[in-house]
Amino acid sequence: LLDQNWEFYSNKTRNIYTKKDTDFINKLRSVVAPTSFHDERILADTYMDNDQIRTIFGDDVPFVKADLKNPIFLKECNITYEVNAESCIKRLCQLRAENLTNFKQVSNIYWYLDLRWDKNETLIKNAFENNELILIKFGNSLKWVGIEQVFWEDVGNSTIEFWFPSLKRQYNFQIKSFFLDKIKIRKKISVNNLIECLTKLNDLDVVSRINTAVFIYQKLDNEIHEHNNSSLQNKNIDWIGKIISENLILNKNGNFVEKTDKIFAIDDDYIYDIFKDELIFFCAPSNKLPSLKGFMKELEIRSISEVLQLNIISNPNNQNNNPLTAKVRETVYPIARLI
């Protein structure tokens, strides 16, 4: 009856002095109505069943079971009867509040919001900045997160992706611009995320721990390179202190060690074999060291060959004396052990 005779009640929705909603309209929006879910919802949480709604929001929305046709009445009651930016935000908030995780439906909404960006930029931007409206798979579970917690590009490491997945692996390329250019999520994983991954490494076996740590250190080395080539090059890199204070330097045995001036990188296997029980050695193998120069410099990790060198002098004819070399090698080892 209200829907059909709304013209008799339309003047009761706003206070003529304050322009605020009246108790009448607030109570009407809170009226409980039957829905397609075989349950009851307040009118403000329901939707009209039409092709446009089903195309974007899917079939599993709470359609109100009532023959309502007056668009003015529907709008006043906050019943969603058309798809627009506002109704998309409403649906995302509803999905998050009810902990519903329908990737297809959410992806459709992002796609539509991308189309509506030029007309509704402020509304959409504020909604994503102030609410956790991005659905993402973390490990074996789905979670709603904010824009500061996600990034687009692949990390390139399955272990890290398990802890901090990229959106590229989860959403269609068609909505890449919505995430990167519109709501402006980060393009790549953050330094803080990488450092947090280091704190999780003890959950892995030794081999995986070392491989993942080296990968993370390489990523951090890239960050150092970018820093040194930016306008901030004369400023300290603040996160280096966190690596040191939280003892996040991994040694060759897969254990985190305290930062000292006696951590060395292995670039000479023979020297390492002599001193492996006396010194602390960085986890990275020799073939990875060129990609870790910046990281090692910041943490004052020196190559073992910088500290100690073994040189065999050639004979006058500039030919190596192989027997002498073998004899010196046999002699140096116990001397080094004794020292």
Side-chain angles (χ1 to χ4, degrees):
L1 291 176
L2 285 173
D3 174 69
Q4 297 172 12
N5 300 282
W6 186 245
E7 64 271 16
F8 299 111
Y9 300 92
S10 58
N11 62 348
K12 298 181 181 296
T13 60
R14 303 287 183 279
N15 185 295
I16 60 174
Y17 300 108
T18 64
K19 306 301 181 184
K20 293 183 179 180
D21 293 343
T22 61
D23 289 341
F24 168 75
I25 192 62
N26 286 328
K27 289 179 180 179
L28 185 57
R29 291 167 182 166
S30 300
V31 168
V32 174
T35 72
S36 56
F37 281 175
H38 304 293
D39 64 359
E40 294 182 336
R41 302 285 184 95
I42 62 172
L43 284 177
D45 287 344
T46 62
Y47 297 74
M48 290 301 298
D49 190 351
N50 58 53
D51 291 340
Q52 187 187 38
I53 295 290
R54 285 185 179 271
T55 297
I56 301 301
F57 297 152
D59 302 326
D60 56 348
V61 296
F63 296 116
V64 62
K65 281 192 171 183
D67 186 19
L68 305 176
K69 298 178 180 179
N70 189 332
I72 300 176
F73 172 77
L74 295 173
K75 185 175 182 179
E76 288 290 354
C77 292
N78 289 344
I79 299 172
T80 303
Y81 63 95
E82 63 180 354
V83 177
N84 51 36
E86 188 174 14
S87 63
C88 284
I89 298 300
K90 171 185 173 179
R91 184 57 181 158
L92 286 176
C93 291
Q94 195 174 49
L95 289 169
R96 185 200 61 187
E98 297 177 7
N99 200 28
L100 299 175
T101 51
N102 186 320
F103 252 95
K104 182 179 179 181
Q105 183 178 146
V106 170
S107 184
N108 284 344
I109 294 174
Y110 295 153
W111 171 80
Y112 186 85
L113 288 174
D114 189 31
L115 296 179
R116 301 291 300 180
W117 181 264
D118 290 341
K119 293 183 177 180
N120 302 102
E121 176 180 347
T122 301
L123 172 67
I124 300 170
K125 184 178 180 181
N126 288 342
F128 279 87
E129 287 181 349
N130 297 308
N131 299 279
E132 296 179 331
L133 298 179
I134 299 176
L135 182 62
I136 191 168
K137 184 176 182 180
F138 277 96
N140 298 318
S141 61
L142 292 167
K143 186 178 179 181
W144 291 92
V145 298
I147 57 177
E148 73 284 348
Q149 296 173 267
V150 293
F151 54 93
W152 180 262
E153 295 294 346
D154 284 343
V155 177
N157 181 283
S158 58
T159 300
I160 297 175
E161 280 276 355
F162 182 83
W163 291 325
F164 293 98
S166 64
L167 292 191
K168 183 177 181 179
R169 287 175 175 257
Q170 303 190 27
Y171 285 101
N172 193 294
F173 186 80
Q174 289 180 329
I175 54 177
K176 174 184 177 181
S177 64
F178 174 71
F179 288 118
L180 288 177
D181 303 328
K182 308 296 173 53
I183 62 174
K184 297 188 181 304
I185 67 168
R186 284 179 284 105
K187 185 175 182 180
K188 60 183 180 179
I189 190 169
S190 71
V191 168
N192 286 337
N193 290 157
L194 290 170
I195 292 177
E196 187 174 343
C197 286
L198 289 174
T199 68
K200 298 173 180 285
L201 292 185
N202 284 329
D203 296 335
L204 307 178
D205 62 79
V206 173
V207 174
S208 298
R209 192 183 310 156
I210 291 174
N211 290 339
T212 305
V214 171
F215 182 89
I216 292 172
Y217 295 147
Q218 287 176 310
K219 289 287 186 183
L220 294 175
D221 187 274
N222 293 338
E223 294 291 334
I224 292 171
H225 179 75
E226 290 183 13
H227 173 90
N228 292 339
N229 286 280
S230 71
S231 59
L232 301 175
Q233 58 182 295
N234 295 323
K235 295 185 177 181
N236 292 330
I237 303 174
D238 54 5
W239 53 263
I240 290 293
K242 191 171 185 180
I243 296 284
I244 296 172
S245 65
E246 297 189 15
N247 297 332
L248 295 176
I249 302 174
L250 201 72
N251 69 9
K252 185 174 175 59
N253 298 321
N255 300 315
F256 285 111
V257 295
E258 184 179 350
K259 165 72 174 69
T260 72
D261 59 357
K262 295 182 180 180
I263 301 178
F264 301 97
I266 305 169
D267 64 341
D268 187 309
D269 291 336
Y270 182 70
I271 299 177
Y272 161 71
D273 191 53
I274 295 174
F275 293 100
K276 62 184 178 182
D277 295 328
E278 280 72 34
L279 302 175
I280 300 173
F281 289 96
F282 187 44
C283 63
S286 58
N287 65 321
K288 301 293 185 181
L289 297 183
S291 62
L292 292 167
K293 289 181 179 179
F295 181 79
M296 290 167 54
K297 181 179 179 180
E298 289 293 332
L299 289 163
E300 299 178 332
I301 298 173
R302 294 174 293 170
S303 298
I304 189 65
S305 64
E306 294 179 41
V307 182
L308 177 65
Q309 292 183 345
L310 297 180
N311 298 313
I312 305 301
I313 301 175
S314 301
N315 65 19
N317 297 323
N318 292 322
Q319 293 180 342
N320 287 334
N321 188 326
N322 293 328
L324 178 59
T325 299
K327 186 172 183 179
V328 169
R329 287 186 180 276
E330 291 174 0
T331 305
V332 166
Y333 185 82
I335 290 176
R337 297 285 294 178
L338 182 61
I339 292 174

